[in-house]
Amino acid sequence: MTRIAAVSGSRSADSTTRAALRVALRAAADAGAETDLIDLGAVDLPLYHPDEDAQGDSEALKRRVREADGVLAGTPVYRGSYSSTFKNFHDFCGSDEYANTAVGLLATAGGGSYGGTLEHLRSTFRNVHAWTVPHEVGIQGASSKIETSGATDAATPDGEPRITDEDLRRRTERLGRVVLEHAERMRE
């Protein structure tokens, strides 16, 4: 079975990034993938130090990415780029984790633009030999378009988050399916 992992670079308890990734993961699972959510806000991951091999949960997290056939990388937009939480995790990973891996990109913005963030992600993933899929998702004004499972009126009957904007929901679900499709092709 093809495995898709999502990496959420948010530390927020009510994260729209994590919620959007869960929507994409659900679509990948519905299409037949085994899925795994790596919530960087809930792990022990000290600041990367190049002179230390393993720190906190770094080895276990790297293994989860390495074992994935495809990765959904999601981050909130901070100062026009990705979060320091995502950057720290990304520093632990290299081509051993991402070579021959299909990667889909997702950025959630409170009010500003997400374009620079997606470009920064694309270039850093290219540097670790990942293959970023052409389809990507940027969500501007994310808190008004995504109901997280922490919201009192949240979403689906099973408590899963939902994206209230129909076009954004379809694009986010498509991201999960596209990463799965490319991951399956790359396994052949």
Side-chain angles (χ1 to χ4, degrees):
M1 180 175 280
T2 305
R3 179 179 290 180
I4 305 299
V7 179
S8 175
S10 174
R11 290 191 174 274
S12 174
D14 214 20
S15 170
T16 57
T17 302
R18 185 175 51 252
L21 285 170
R22 288 176 61 194
V23 169
L25 274 178
R26 187 171 53 233
D30 289 347
E34 177 183 332
T35 62
D36 179 20
L37 175 64
I38 299 171
D39 180 359
L40 296 178
V43 298
D44 173 22
L45 195 64
L47 287 176
Y48 176 74
H49 191 299
D51 295 333
E52 296 180 28
D53 289 334
Q55 300 176 68
D57 295 333
S58 66
E59 290 303 311
L61 296 170
K62 286 170 42 175
R63 180 183 38 77
R64 288 167 68 183
V65 170
R66 203 170 30 254
E67 291 174 353
D69 302 295
V71 172
L72 295 161
T75 182
V77 174
Y78 291 145
R79 312 294 183 259
S81 190
Y82 44 80
S83 70
S84 61
T85 300
F86 189 87
K87 171 66 169 134
N88 185 52
F89 175 70
H90 206 32
D91 285 343
F92 279 95
C93 298
S95 58
D96 288 343
E97 284 69 41
Y98 289 110
N100 301 313
T101 302
V103 176
L105 308 176
L106 181 140
T108 56
S113 174
Y114 51 78
T117 302
L118 292 171
E119 180 55 38
H120 293 165
L121 287 171
R122 260 192 313 279
S123 65
T124 60
F125 275 104
R126 275 194 306 264
N127 281 310
V128 291
H129 307 278
W131 192 82
T132 56
V133 301
H135 183 74
E136 57 192 24
V137 175
I139 302 174
Q140 193 169 20
S143 62
S144 66
K145 296 173 182 159
I146 301 171
E147 293 178 350
T148 65
S149 59
T152 55
D153 61 346
T156 64
D158 61 0
E160 286 292 309
R162 76 178 174 115
I163 299 174
T164 58
D165 180 283
E166 190 68 21
D167 180 56
L168 282 172
R169 181 190 56 75
R170 280 194 303 267
R171 288 180 42 228
T172 303
E173 291 172 342
R174 181 171 177 232
L175 181 65
R177 290 189 301 270
V178 166
V179 168
L180 173 61
E181 290 166 10
H182 286 286
E184 288 174 337
R185 285 185 197 132
M186 292 176 79
R187 286 181 64 184
E188 295 174 354

